[in-house]
Amino acid sequence: LVDYTPYRKRAGMCVAVAVVIIQGVQIGTNSNTWFIMGFFQALALTLLEIHYFLTVSYLPDIVRYDVDHDTMTKFSQGFLGFQFTGQLLYLILVVGISIVFDWDTVSTAQFGQGLGTIWIAICYYLGWQRFPHVEPKHKLSSNHHSLFLAGFRQNWKTCVRIHEQSKTLQWFLIFVCFMEAGTSAIIPVAVTYLSRVMDFNGTEIGLAFVCALIGSIPGAVFGGWLSRVTNPLNSLRLNGLTNIFVTTAGCVIMTEGNDHFGYIWGFLWGFILCWFYSSEQIFYALCLPTGQDSELSGFFVFCTIALVWLPPLLFSIVVESGIEERWGLTALVVCQVLGMLALLGIPKWSQVVEGAKRSLVLDVHDDDVVPPNNAPNTSETGKTPADEPDPDTTTKDEFQQE
Protein backbone atom coordinates (compact mmCIF):
# COMPACT_ATOMS: atom_id res chain seq x y z
CA LEU A 1 0.00 0.00 0.00
CA VAL A 2 2.81 2.42 0.83
CA ASP A 3 5.62 1.42 -1.54
CA TYR A 4 3.32 0.83 -4.54
CA THR A 5 0.69 3.56 -4.12
CA PRO A 6 0.73 7.30 -3.32
CA TYR A 7 -1.50 6.75 -0.28
CA ARG A 8 1.06 6.76 2.55
CA LYS A 9 -0.19 10.03 4.03
CA ARG A 10 -3.86 9.20 3.44
CA ALA A 11 -3.45 5.79 5.09
CA GLY A 12 -1.80 7.43 8.09
CA MET A 13 -4.65 9.90 8.47
CA CYS A 14 -7.26 7.13 8.28
CA VAL A 15 -5.46 5.04 10.89
CA ALA A 16 -5.11 8.09 13.15
CA VAL A 17 -8.86 8.77 12.95
CA ALA A 18 -9.62 5.12 13.79
CA VAL A 19 -7.29 5.24 16.81
CA VAL A 20 -8.94 8.42 18.12
CA ILE A 21 -12.43 6.90 17.76
CA ILE A 22 -11.42 3.73 19.64
CA GLN A 23 -9.75 5.74 22.39
CA GLY A 24 -12.93 7.79 22.71
CA VAL A 25 -15.06 4.67 23.02
CA GLN A 26 -12.77 3.31 25.73
CA ILE A 27 -13.63 6.23 27.99
CA GLY A 28 -16.65 4.11 28.91
CA THR A 29 -14.53 1.30 30.37
CA ASN A 30 -15.89 0.01 33.70
CA SER A 31 -16.68 -3.26 35.46
CA ASN A 32 -19.57 -3.94 33.07
CA THR A 33 -17.81 -3.17 29.78
CA TRP A 34 -14.24 -4.37 30.39
CA PHE A 35 -14.57 -7.50 28.24
CA ILE A 36 -15.63 -5.78 25.01
CA MET A 37 -13.16 -2.99 25.74
CA GLY A 38 -10.43 -5.62 25.75
CA PHE A 39 -11.18 -6.33 22.08
CA PHE A 40 -11.11 -2.61 21.31
CA GLN A 41 -7.75 -2.35 23.07
CA ALA A 42 -6.32 -5.20 20.98
CA LEU A 43 -7.53 -3.45 17.81
CA ALA A 44 -6.09 -0.14 19.01
CA LEU A 45 -2.68 -1.69 19.66
CA THR A 46 -2.66 -3.14 16.14
CA LEU A 47 -3.58 0.22 14.62
CA LEU A 48 -0.93 1.97 16.71
CA GLU A 49 1.76 -0.33 15.31
CA ILE A 50 0.56 0.48 11.78
CA HIS A 51 0.59 4.17 12.65
CA TYR A 52 4.11 3.89 14.06
CA PHE A 53 5.28 2.18 10.87
CA LEU A 54 3.77 4.88 8.66
CA THR A 55 5.43 7.67 10.65
CA VAL A 56 8.91 6.12 10.93
CA SER A 57 8.90 5.48 7.18
CA TYR A 58 9.53 9.22 6.80
CA LEU A 59 12.77 9.12 8.82
CA PRO A 60 15.00 7.88 5.95
CA ASP A 61 13.62 10.68 3.78
CA ILE A 62 14.67 13.21 6.41
CA VAL A 63 18.23 11.87 6.26
CA ARG A 64 18.23 11.56 2.49
CA TYR A 65 17.49 15.22 1.91
CA ASP A 66 20.93 16.36 3.08
CA VAL A 67 20.25 16.22 6.82
CA ASP A 68 23.63 15.33 8.32
CA HIS A 69 24.50 13.04 11.22
CA ASP A 70 24.58 15.80 13.84
CA THR A 71 21.23 17.26 12.77
CA MET A 72 19.54 13.86 12.79
CA THR A 73 21.02 13.10 16.21
CA LYS A 74 19.75 16.37 17.67
CA PHE A 75 16.32 15.77 16.14
CA SER A 76 16.03 12.28 17.64
CA GLN A 77 17.33 13.50 20.99
CA GLY A 78 14.84 16.36 21.12
CA PHE A 79 11.95 14.25 19.87
CA LEU A 80 12.35 11.52 22.49
CA GLY A 81 13.00 14.04 25.25
CA PHE A 82 9.80 15.86 24.29
CA GLN A 83 7.87 12.59 24.10
CA PHE A 84 8.85 11.33 27.54
CA THR A 85 8.47 14.76 29.12
CA GLY A 86 4.91 14.79 27.80
CA GLN A 87 4.26 11.37 29.33
CA LEU A 88 5.61 12.54 32.68
CA LEU A 89 3.47 15.70 32.70
CA TYR A 90 0.41 13.67 31.66
CA LEU A 91 0.94 11.19 34.49
CA ILE A 92 1.47 13.94 37.07
CA LEU A 93 -1.64 15.80 35.86
CA VAL A 94 -3.91 12.75 35.97
CA VAL A 95 -2.67 11.55 39.36
CA GLY A 96 -2.72 15.06 40.82
CA ILE A 97 -6.31 15.77 39.75
CA SER A 98 -7.47 12.35 40.96
CA ILE A 99 -5.98 13.09 44.40
CA VAL A 100 -7.56 16.56 44.58
CA PHE A 101 -11.03 15.25 43.73
CA ASP A 102 -10.56 11.97 45.62
CA TRP A 103 -11.58 9.85 42.62
CA ASP A 104 -11.63 6.08 42.65
CA THR A 105 -9.64 3.93 40.18
CA VAL A 106 -12.39 3.83 37.53
CA SER A 107 -13.03 7.57 37.57
CA THR A 108 -9.29 8.27 37.37
CA ALA A 109 -8.90 5.89 34.43
CA GLN A 110 -11.85 7.44 32.59
CA PHE A 111 -10.52 10.95 33.10
CA GLY A 112 -7.07 9.89 31.91
CA GLN A 113 -8.56 8.18 28.87
CA GLY A 114 -10.64 11.23 28.00
CA LEU A 115 -7.70 13.60 28.36
CA GLY A 116 -5.52 11.31 26.24
CA THR A 117 -8.18 11.10 23.52
CA ILE A 118 -8.45 14.88 23.22
CA TRP A 119 -4.68 15.29 23.18
CA ILE A 120 -3.96 12.67 20.50
CA ALA A 121 -6.77 14.05 18.33
CA ILE A 122 -5.08 17.47 18.37
CA CYS A 123 -1.56 16.12 17.84
CA TYR A 124 -2.55 13.66 15.10
CA TYR A 125 -4.38 16.39 13.20
CA LEU A 126 -1.49 18.85 13.42
CA GLY A 127 1.11 16.17 12.64
CA TRP A 128 -0.49 14.60 9.58
CA GLN A 129 -1.35 18.01 8.14
CA ARG A 130 2.40 18.66 7.99
CA PHE A 131 3.59 15.32 6.64
CA PRO A 132 4.53 15.70 2.93
CA HIS A 133 2.95 13.73 0.12
CA VAL A 134 5.31 11.04 -1.19
CA GLU A 135 4.95 9.30 -4.54
CA PRO A 136 5.25 5.47 -4.73
CA LYS A 137 8.77 4.06 -4.96
CA HIS A 138 7.74 1.17 -7.24
CA LYS A 139 4.88 0.05 -9.46
CA LEU A 140 3.50 -3.33 -10.41
CA SER A 141 4.75 -4.88 -13.62
CA SER A 142 2.32 -5.72 -16.40
CA ASN A 143 2.57 -9.42 -15.47
CA HIS A 144 1.00 -8.97 -12.03
CA HIS A 145 -2.04 -7.00 -10.99
CA SER A 146 -2.56 -8.10 -7.38
CA LEU A 147 -1.17 -5.56 -4.94
CA PHE A 148 -1.81 -7.96 -2.04
CA LEU A 149 0.20 -10.85 -3.53
CA ALA A 150 2.92 -8.56 -4.86
CA GLY A 151 3.52 -7.31 -1.33
CA PHE A 152 4.19 -10.81 0.00
CA ARG A 153 6.41 -11.71 -2.94
CA GLN A 154 8.38 -8.50 -2.55
CA ASN A 155 8.83 -9.06 1.20
CA TRP A 156 10.39 -12.46 0.54
CA LYS A 157 12.69 -11.09 -2.14
CA THR A 158 13.70 -8.24 0.13
CA CYS A 159 14.63 -10.74 2.85
CA VAL A 160 16.88 -12.51 0.35
CA ARG A 161 18.44 -9.22 -0.78
CA ILE A 162 19.11 -8.14 2.81
CA HIS A 163 20.89 -11.43 3.48
CA GLU A 164 22.94 -11.20 0.29
CA GLN A 165 23.64 -7.47 0.06
CA SER A 166 23.40 -5.83 3.49
CA LYS A 167 24.93 -7.61 6.48
CA THR A 168 24.53 -4.37 8.42
CA LEU A 169 20.76 -4.34 8.01
CA GLN A 170 20.51 -8.09 8.58
CA TRP A 171 22.33 -8.03 11.93
CA PHE A 172 20.67 -4.78 12.97
CA LEU A 173 17.19 -6.26 12.52
CA ILE A 174 18.20 -9.36 14.50
CA PHE A 175 19.59 -7.07 17.19
CA VAL A 176 16.31 -5.13 17.28
CA CYS A 177 14.29 -8.35 17.70
CA PHE A 178 16.15 -9.44 20.83
CA MET A 179 17.09 -6.10 22.39
CA GLU A 180 13.61 -4.63 21.99
CA ALA A 181 12.23 -7.76 23.65
CA GLY A 182 14.72 -7.53 26.51
CA THR A 183 14.12 -3.80 26.95
CA SER A 184 10.42 -3.20 26.24
CA ALA A 185 9.34 -6.20 28.32
CA ILE A 186 10.69 -4.46 31.43
CA ILE A 187 7.34 -2.66 31.75
CA PRO A 188 5.04 -5.71 32.26
CA VAL A 189 7.73 -7.67 34.11
CA ALA A 190 8.51 -4.75 36.44
CA VAL A 191 4.89 -4.43 37.59
CA THR A 192 4.80 -8.09 38.63
CA TYR A 193 8.28 -7.96 40.13
CA LEU A 194 7.68 -4.84 42.21
CA SER A 195 4.35 -6.09 43.55
CA ARG A 196 5.30 -9.71 44.30
CA VAL A 197 8.99 -9.53 45.16
CA MET A 198 9.29 -6.07 46.73
CA ASP A 199 5.70 -5.92 48.02
CA PHE A 200 4.97 -2.52 46.44
CA ASN A 201 1.38 -1.30 46.48
CA GLY A 202 -0.24 0.53 43.59
CA THR A 203 0.92 3.98 44.69
CA GLU A 204 4.52 2.82 45.16
CA ILE A 205 4.54 1.19 41.72
CA GLY A 206 3.24 4.45 40.26
CA LEU A 207 6.05 6.38 41.97
CA ALA A 208 8.59 3.93 40.55
CA PHE A 209 7.28 4.63 37.06
CA VAL A 210 7.41 8.38 37.72
CA CYS A 211 11.09 7.90 38.58
CA ALA A 212 11.49 6.02 35.30
CA LEU A 213 9.93 8.85 33.29
CA ILE A 214 12.14 11.38 35.07
CA GLY A 215 15.19 9.28 34.16
CA SER A 216 14.10 9.01 30.54
CA ILE A 217 14.59 12.73 29.89
CA PRO A 218 18.36 12.84 30.59
CA GLY A 219 18.57 9.40 28.93
CA ALA A 220 17.42 10.87 25.62
CA VAL A 221 19.91 13.71 25.92
CA PHE A 222 22.76 11.35 26.80
CA GLY A 223 21.94 8.95 23.97
CA GLY A 224 21.92 11.77 21.44
CA TRP A 225 25.13 13.26 22.82
CA LEU A 226 26.98 9.93 22.77
CA SER A 227 25.79 9.17 19.23
CA ARG A 228 27.03 12.57 18.14
CA VAL A 229 30.49 12.52 19.77
CA THR A 230 31.15 8.88 18.77
CA ASN A 231 28.52 7.19 16.59
CA PRO A 232 25.17 5.39 17.08
CA LEU A 233 26.82 1.95 16.87
CA ASN A 234 29.13 2.62 19.82
CA SER A 235 26.21 4.14 21.71
CA LEU A 236 24.13 0.97 21.21
CA ARG A 237 27.02 -1.22 22.31
CA LEU A 238 27.58 0.72 25.53
CA ASN A 239 23.84 0.87 26.15
CA GLY A 240 23.52 -2.90 25.81
CA LEU A 241 26.33 -3.56 28.28
CA THR A 242 24.86 -1.06 30.76
CA ASN A 243 21.40 -2.59 30.34
CA ILE A 244 22.71 -6.08 31.08
CA PHE A 245 24.62 -4.86 34.16
CA VAL A 246 21.70 -2.89 35.65
CA THR A 247 19.18 -5.69 35.05
CA THR A 248 21.51 -8.31 36.56
CA ALA A 249 22.22 -6.06 39.55
CA GLY A 250 18.47 -5.69 40.04
CA CYS A 251 18.15 -9.45 40.50
CA VAL A 252 20.58 -9.28 43.41
CA ILE A 253 19.76 -6.09 45.30
CA MET A 254 16.03 -5.55 44.64
CA THR A 255 14.47 -7.54 47.47
CA GLU A 256 11.74 -6.86 49.99
CA GLY A 257 12.84 -4.20 52.48
CA ASN A 258 15.09 -2.41 49.96
CA ASP A 259 12.36 -0.13 48.69
CA HIS A 260 14.74 2.71 47.84
CA PHE A 261 16.51 0.45 45.35
CA GLY A 262 13.20 0.02 43.53
CA TYR A 263 12.99 3.76 42.88
CA ILE A 264 16.69 4.03 41.96
CA TRP A 265 16.31 1.08 39.58
CA GLY A 266 13.24 2.74 38.07
CA PHE A 267 15.24 5.91 37.35
CA LEU A 268 18.11 3.91 35.83
CA TRP A 269 15.69 1.82 33.77
CA GLY A 270 14.07 4.98 32.34
CA PHE A 271 17.49 6.46 31.59
CA ILE A 272 18.70 3.32 29.78
CA LEU A 273 15.41 2.81 27.93
CA CYS A 274 15.33 6.29 26.40
CA TRP A 275 19.07 6.16 25.68
CA PHE A 276 18.41 2.93 23.76
CA TYR A 277 15.47 4.32 21.78
CA SER A 278 17.40 7.47 20.86
CA SER A 279 20.44 5.56 19.56
CA GLU A 280 18.31 2.92 17.85
CA GLN A 281 16.29 5.46 15.85
CA ILE A 282 19.42 7.35 14.79
CA PHE A 283 21.11 4.12 13.66
CA TYR A 284 17.98 3.03 11.79
CA ALA A 285 17.62 6.32 9.95
CA LEU A 286 21.28 6.45 8.92
CA CYS A 287 21.80 2.80 7.93
CA LEU A 288 18.72 2.22 5.78
CA PRO A 289 19.48 1.63 2.06
CA THR A 290 17.53 3.73 -0.42
CA GLY A 291 14.77 2.56 -2.70
CA GLN A 292 12.44 0.61 -0.38
CA ASP A 293 12.08 2.96 2.58
CA SER A 294 8.53 2.05 3.56
CA GLU A 295 8.99 -1.69 3.16
CA LEU A 296 12.17 -1.68 5.23
CA SER A 297 10.44 0.50 7.81
CA GLY A 298 7.83 -2.23 8.04
CA PHE A 299 10.57 -4.78 8.64
CA PHE A 300 11.96 -2.56 11.42
CA VAL A 301 8.59 -2.08 13.15
CA PHE A 302 7.87 -5.81 12.91
CA CYS A 303 11.20 -6.61 14.56
CA THR A 304 10.44 -4.25 17.45
CA ILE A 305 7.42 -6.37 18.45
CA ALA A 306 8.31 -9.83 17.10
CA LEU A 307 9.68 -11.24 20.38
CA VAL A 308 8.20 -8.98 23.07
CA TRP A 309 6.18 -11.95 24.31
CA LEU A 310 9.29 -14.02 25.05
CA PRO A 311 10.67 -12.39 28.26
CA PRO A 312 7.27 -12.36 30.06
CA LEU A 313 6.85 -16.03 29.09
CA LEU A 314 10.32 -16.92 30.41
CA PHE A 315 9.59 -14.89 33.56
CA SER A 316 6.37 -16.83 34.12
CA ILE A 317 8.13 -20.17 33.57
CA VAL A 318 10.79 -19.23 36.14
CA VAL A 319 8.16 -18.17 38.68
CA GLU A 320 5.93 -21.22 38.16
CA SER A 321 8.93 -23.55 38.40
CA GLY A 322 9.38 -22.67 42.06
CA ILE A 323 12.60 -20.70 41.49
CA GLU A 324 12.94 -17.53 43.56
CA GLU A 325 10.98 -14.88 41.71
CA ARG A 326 13.70 -12.26 41.68
CA TRP A 327 15.72 -14.44 39.33
CA GLY A 328 12.93 -14.07 36.80
CA LEU A 329 14.61 -10.86 35.63
CA THR A 330 17.26 -13.05 34.03
CA ALA A 331 14.69 -13.61 31.27
CA LEU A 332 15.37 -10.03 30.20
CA VAL A 333 19.13 -10.56 30.41
CA VAL A 334 18.95 -13.56 28.06
CA CYS A 335 17.37 -11.48 25.30
CA GLN A 336 19.74 -8.57 25.94
CA VAL A 337 22.79 -10.83 25.64
CA LEU A 338 21.50 -12.33 22.38
CA GLY A 339 20.95 -8.81 21.07
CA MET A 340 24.51 -7.84 21.96
CA LEU A 341 25.83 -10.90 20.12
CA ALA A 342 23.90 -9.83 17.01
CA LEU A 343 25.38 -6.35 17.33
CA LEU A 344 28.87 -7.84 17.00
CA GLY A 345 28.02 -8.84 13.41
CA ILE A 346 27.63 -5.20 12.33
CA PRO A 347 30.78 -3.81 10.63
CA LYS A 348 32.52 -0.53 11.42
CA TRP A 349 30.44 2.64 11.40
CA SER A 350 32.20 4.00 8.31
CA GLN A 351 31.15 0.86 6.42
CA VAL A 352 27.59 1.23 7.72
CA VAL A 353 27.33 4.78 6.37
CA GLU A 354 28.89 3.78 3.05
CA GLY A 355 26.55 0.81 2.70
CA ALA A 356 23.52 3.07 3.22
CA LYS A 357 24.45 4.95 0.04
CA ARG A 358 23.85 1.81 -1.99
CA SER A 359 20.36 0.61 -2.75
CA LEU A 360 18.55 -2.69 -2.55
CA VAL A 361 16.91 -1.65 -5.83
CA LEU A 362 14.90 -4.20 -7.73
CA ASP A 363 16.78 -6.32 -10.20
CA VAL A 364 16.11 -5.50 -13.85
CA HIS A 365 14.88 -9.08 -14.32
CA ASP A 366 12.38 -8.88 -11.47
CA ASP A 367 9.01 -9.94 -12.90
CA ASP A 368 6.86 -8.78 -9.99
CA VAL A 369 7.54 -5.08 -9.65
CA VAL A 370 9.49 -2.42 -11.47
CA PRO A 371 10.80 1.01 -10.41
CA PRO A 372 8.95 4.06 -11.69
CA ASN A 373 10.16 5.19 -15.10
CA ASN A 374 11.68 8.36 -13.67
CA ALA A 375 13.26 6.74 -10.59
CA PRO A 376 17.02 7.09 -10.33
CA ASN A 377 18.93 3.84 -10.65
CA THR A 378 21.88 3.87 -8.26
CA SER A 379 23.29 0.71 -9.81
CA GLU A 380 23.70 2.52 -13.17
CA THR A 381 24.41 6.12 -12.24
CA GLY A 382 26.27 5.56 -9.00
CA LYS A 383 24.22 8.37 -7.46
CA THR A 384 21.68 8.34 -4.71
CA PRO A 385 18.24 9.96 -4.92
CA ALA A 386 19.69 12.88 -2.95
CA ASP A 387 22.15 13.48 -5.82
CA GLU A 388 19.61 12.94 -8.59
CA PRO A 389 16.16 14.00 -7.33
CA ASP A 390 12.98 12.46 -8.66
CA PRO A 391 10.83 15.18 -10.30
CA ASP A 392 7.58 13.45 -9.32
CA THR A 393 8.37 13.18 -5.60
CA THR A 394 8.72 15.79 -2.92
CA THR A 395 11.73 17.99 -3.59
CA LYS A 396 14.43 18.70 -1.04
CA ASP A 397 13.24 22.27 -0.42
CA GLU A 398 9.61 21.17 -0.12
CA PHE A 399 10.49 18.34 2.28
CA GLN A 400 12.63 20.57 4.50
CA GLN A 401 9.89 23.20 4.53
CA GLU A 402 7.36 20.59 5.71
Side-chain angles (χ1 to χ4, degrees):
L1 179 64
V2 176
D3 265 342
Y4 297 90
T5 72
Y7 302 133
R8 182 192 309 191
K9 181 176 180 178
R10 189 176 301 177
M13 296 175 70
C14 291
V15 172
V17 170
V19 170
V20 172
I21 293 175
I22 293 175
Q23 296 301 308
V25 171
Q26 288 186 302
I27 297 175
T29 303
N30 55 46
S31 58
N32 297 320
T33 61
W34 66 269
F35 186 74
I36 186 63
M37 293 302 178
F39 287 99
F40 280 118
Q41 180 63 14
L43 179 58
L45 291 175
T46 302
L47 292 174
L48 284 170
E49 291 298 336
I50 297 174
H51 186 269
Y52 177 58
F53 149 66
L54 291 169
T55 53
V56 300
S57 67
Y58 282 91
L59 282 178
D61 287 326
I62 295 176
V63 177
R64 191 158 299 121
Y65 287 106
D66 288 348
V67 176
D68 59 18
H69 177 191
D70 286 347
T71 303
M72 186 62 204
T73 300
K74 292 177 181 178
F75 165 78
S76 181
Q77 169 185 320
F79 172 78
L80 286 173
F82 187 75
Q83 174 185 352
F84 282 91
T85 300
Q87 291 181 11
L88 175 62
L89 294 176
Y90 168 81
L91 180 61
I92 293 175
L93 179 62
V94 172
V95 173
I97 291 179
S98 68
I99 293 175
V100 171
F101 291 97
D102 194 23
W103 286 339
D104 58 17
T105 303
V106 174
S107 298
T108 302
Q110 290 177 336
F111 171 75
Q113 186 70 22
L115 179 63
T117 301
I118 295 173
W119 187 242
I120 64 172
I122 295 172
C123 292
Y124 280 177
Y125 173 78
L126 295 177
W128 281 107
Q129 284 293 319
R130 286 161 174 76
F131 272 119
H133 173 77
V134 180
E135 290 296 323
K137 303 294 183 181
H138 307 289
K139 65 179 181 180
L140 290 175
S141 70
S142 58
N143 298 329
H144 299 277
H145 304 284
S146 173
L147 183 64
F148 180 77
L149 295 179
F152 283 105
R153 283 193 296 266
Q154 181 57 26
N155 283 342
W156 168 250
K157 293 180 179 181
T158 299
C159 288
V160 174
R161 290 188 180 94
I162 290 175
H163 175 69
E164 294 176 346
Q165 303 176 26
S166 179
K167 295 300 180 183
T168 294
L169 193 56
Q170 172 184 289
W171 286 110
F172 174 68
L173 292 177
I174 295 174
F175 160 78
V176 169
C177 282
F178 287 105
M179 193 57 77
E180 280 277 357
T183 303
S184 302
I186 290 178
I187 298 176
V189 169
V191 173
T192 303
Y193 188 93
L194 292 174
S195 61
R196 298 188 58 168
V197 177
M198 304 192 69
D199 198 27
F200 273 27
N201 57 34
T203 301
E204 291 170 329
I205 293 175
L207 289 175
F209 276 91
V210 169
C211 291
L213 287 173
I214 293 174
S216 66
I217 299 172
V221 176
F222 181 78
W225 172 81
L226 189 61
S227 297
R228 189 166 59 251
V229 297
T230 58
N231 59 65
L233 180 57
N234 287 337
S235 181
L236 286 174
R237 287 169 176 167
L238 184 57
N239 175 268
L241 293 175
T242 307
N243 205 345
I244 292 171
F245 173 78
V246 171
T247 306
T248 305
C251 298
V252 179
I253 65 176
M254 289 175 56
T255 57
E256 187 175 358
N258 293 329
D259 292 2
H260 57 287
F261 283 122
Y263 301 120
I264 295 173
W265 188 79
F267 179 88
L268 292 175
W269 162 66
F271 183 91
I272 293 171
L273 189 67
C274 206
W275 170 11
F276 166 71
Y277 286 143
S278 176
S279 302
E280 179 191 48
Q281 284 197 1
I282 297 170
F283 189 102
Y284 155 76
L286 296 176
C287 81
L288 206 63
T290 62
Q292 292 165 268
D293 307 337
S294 302
E295 183 183 6
L296 295 177
S297 296
F299 275 64
F300 171 72
V301 173
F302 171 77
C303 289
T304 62
I305 61 175
L307 296 178
V308 292
W309 53 270
L310 183 58
L313 176 62
L314 295 177
F315 181 82
S316 300
I317 292 175
V318 170
V319 172
E320 296 300 326
S321 299
I323 303 174
E324 195 173 352
E325 291 186 25
R326 63 195 181 107
W327 298 112
L329 286 179
T330 55
L332 303 175
V333 177
V334 170
C335 291
Q336 292 165 4
V337 170
L338 292 175
M340 285 297 297
L341 293 176
L343 204 60
L344 296 176
I346 298 178
K348 295 179 180 179
W349 179 247
S350 57
Q351 294 177 280
V352 172
V353 175
E354 187 63 29
K357 297 178 181 179
R358 296 189 294 270
S359 175
L360 297 176
V361 292
L362 301 176
D363 191 279
V364 293
H365 302 295
D366 196 312
D367 61 349
D368 290 328
V369 291
V370 295
N373 293 332
N374 55 0
N377 189 338
T378 57
S379 61
E380 296 176 0
T381 65
K383 298 182 179 180
T384 65
D387 302 318
E388 195 171 316
D390 185 344
D392 282 348
T393 58
T394 308
T395 66
K396 170 184 171 181
D397 292 338
E398 291 171 344
F399 195 92
Q400 290 179 336
Q401 181 180 4
E402 292 291 346

